[in-house]
Amino acid sequence: MPSLDDFARSKLAALDGALLRRRLAETVREDGLWVRRNGRRLLSFSCNDYLNLTHHPQVKAASIAAVERYGAGAGASRLVSGNHPLYAELETRLARWKGTESACVFGSGYLANAGIIPVLAGEDDLLLADELSHACLWAGARLSRARVMTFRHNDIGHLEALLAAHRGDHAHTLIVTDGVFSMDGDLAPLRELSALARRYDAWLMVDDAHGLGVPGDGAKAEIDLQMGTLSKALGSYGGYLCAAQAVIDLVRTRARTLIYSTGLPPASVAAAIAALDIIEADPELAARPLAKAQSFTRACGLPLAQSPIVPIVLGEASAALYASRRLEEEGFLVVAIRPPTVPAGTARLRLAFSAGHPDDEIARLAECVRTLVPRP
Ligand SMILES: *Cc1c(COP(=O)(O)O)cnc(C)c1O
């Protein structure tokens, strides 16, 4: 198969040349904060484990108990025989948490978006997406075969212009956006988006994968489709959609990524339920990551953080890789984010703050960042 090898090698050489090749680095997460990598212990600012629940004793115990009771795997798709009893409990809890009639759990957030969008939009429909929407919203958009148009990031005026010009030509219109933007940490204007959706008879779908621990106005906005993940603040694995009963019933019977993919391991579902128990019992916990991020942005003289995610845009991939290496020498894991995850010329450090990050370490990180990236 020499032509296939040649193909792969020349692709890799081009990526190497542009400093855009990615490699897997073995990482041992010791707890919700510290990792071991390349023989060193580092404080991680590159995990989405905002509440440090991946290693919480109650979450781990629930996971282990589920393995003992229901086994390691689900055995089949949820629609065949993989719908173990923990699913109903989790879906009820998620719906109550988000204030919707019902919920449906998927294998991951990516699978959720790739499955939901094609159920709701087809060839005759229009899909309007914020230009910084997460990769899996684009995957769902492509699979839907709807006409896809992008609006400028958080630009309500641009979205309204697109609706005014094109809404009438399509049977249905779906607006999709991240709630908290995963690489920028800023928030979508949900109330304005939902008002616009109502006005133009469009449906609004918000990907709230990073939404927990953020004082956004999402709760007050009318959002038809609230999608999210179990894999970030909840410390487990899986994705979900919260919506009206009829919508969930339709998704359950039509979403290909639900029908043709095996159900989640029972341990993942049990862990997510245990994580919800912890969050509901301690309402202040979810506010802590944002407070930590804001203490960092204050110390660094950066714009005040709107979410636990703080980007430090450096431009070229080489600059981001260099800064990341220097921080690693100082004992911090801050992974460089490069195109195509972010637009060309905006390679960056992306810091994710969690409830448990020690304040003295945040202060030391701020000092290192200030030396590394002098502010004008
Ligand atoms: C991480 C993420 C996803 C994917 O969720 P997984 O459960 O990890 O597949 C979807 N959307 C956004 C905005 C994300 O940040």
Side-chain angles (χ1 to χ4, degrees), residues 43-84:
L43 182 61
S44 175
F45 289 88
S46 288
C47 299
N48 298 316
D49 187 10
Y50 298 114
L51 305 177
N52 319 109
L53 294 181
T54 54
H55 288 65
H56 192 290
Q58 235 171 288
V59 175
K60 290 199 289 187
S63 227
I64 292 163
V67 171
E68 294 294 350
R69 179 139 188 224
Y70 299 111
S77 161
R78 291 188 63 189
L79 283 106
V80 180
S81 59
N83 196 41
H84 47 79

Side-chain angles (χ1 to χ4, degrees), residues 17 27 81 86 102 113 123 137 144 169 180 189 205 210 220 229 239 244 305 360 362:
T27 307
S81 59
L86 296 167
S102 193
N113 280 337
E123 271 170 20
L137 285 168
S144 76
D169 303 336
V180 176
M205 174 165 174
H210 298 275
K220 284 172 241 116
T229 180
D360 55 344
I362 292 176

Side-chain angles (χ1 to χ4, degrees), residues 288-351:
R288 239 172 274 162
L290 175 63
K292 300 274 179 184
Q294 291 183 334
S295 78
F296 172 81
T297 52
R298 271 191 216 101
C300 268
L302 291 165
L304 191 67
Q306 297 175 46
S307 77
I309 300 166
V310 176
I312 300 173
V313 177
L314 297 170
E316 293 311 311
S318 55
L321 290 168
Y322 173 77
S324 173
R325 270 197 307 273
R326 290 297 311 276
L327 290 176
E328 186 165 332
E329 286 162 14
E330 296 292 337
F332 300 117
L333 179 68
V334 182
V335 174
I337 307 289
R338 293 169 282 167
T341 305
V342 292
T346 71
R348 67 195 65 185
L349 299 176
R350 171 196 183 269
L351 296 104

Side-chain angles (χ1 to χ4, degrees), residues 162-211:
L162 292 174
L163 283 164
H166 304 289
R167 171 69 188 93
D169 303 336
H170 299 274
H172 306 292
T173 293
L174 180 64
I175 300 168
V176 302
T177 182
D178 289 15
V180 176
F181 287 86
S182 56
M183 295 299 137
D184 293 79
D186 57 341
L187 311 182
L190 295 180
R191 267 189 286 187
E192 288 90 336
L193 287 169
S194 75
L196 208 52
R198 293 283 159 277
R199 189 138 24 99
Y200 284 88
D201 182 26
W203 306 327
L204 177 61
M205 174 165 174
V206 176
D207 178 336
D208 207 24
H210 298 275

Side-chain angles (χ1 to χ4, degrees), residues 108-111 113 134 136 178 180 182 207 209-210 227 229 231-232 237-239:
S108 72
Y110 196 111
L111 287 171
N113 280 337
H134 192 268
C136 56
D178 289 15
V180 176
S182 56
D207 178 336
H210 298 275
M227 174 272 163
T229 180
S231 342
K232 286 167 184 164
Y237 194 72

Side-chain angles (χ1 to χ4, degrees), residues 78-79 87 90-92 94-95 100 102-108 112 116 226-228 230 238-243 247-253 255 258:
R78 291 188 63 189
L79 283 106
Y87 268 116
L90 179 58
E91 289 177 341
T92 304
L94 288 170
T100 59
S102 193
C104 180
V105 169
F106 284 78
S108 72
I116 296 160
Q226 304 187 57
M227 174 272 163
L230 311 174
Y240 64 83
L241 174 69
C242 292
V247 175
I248 294 298
D249 288 346
L250 180 66
V251 162
R252 283 190 180 142
T253 190
L258 184 78

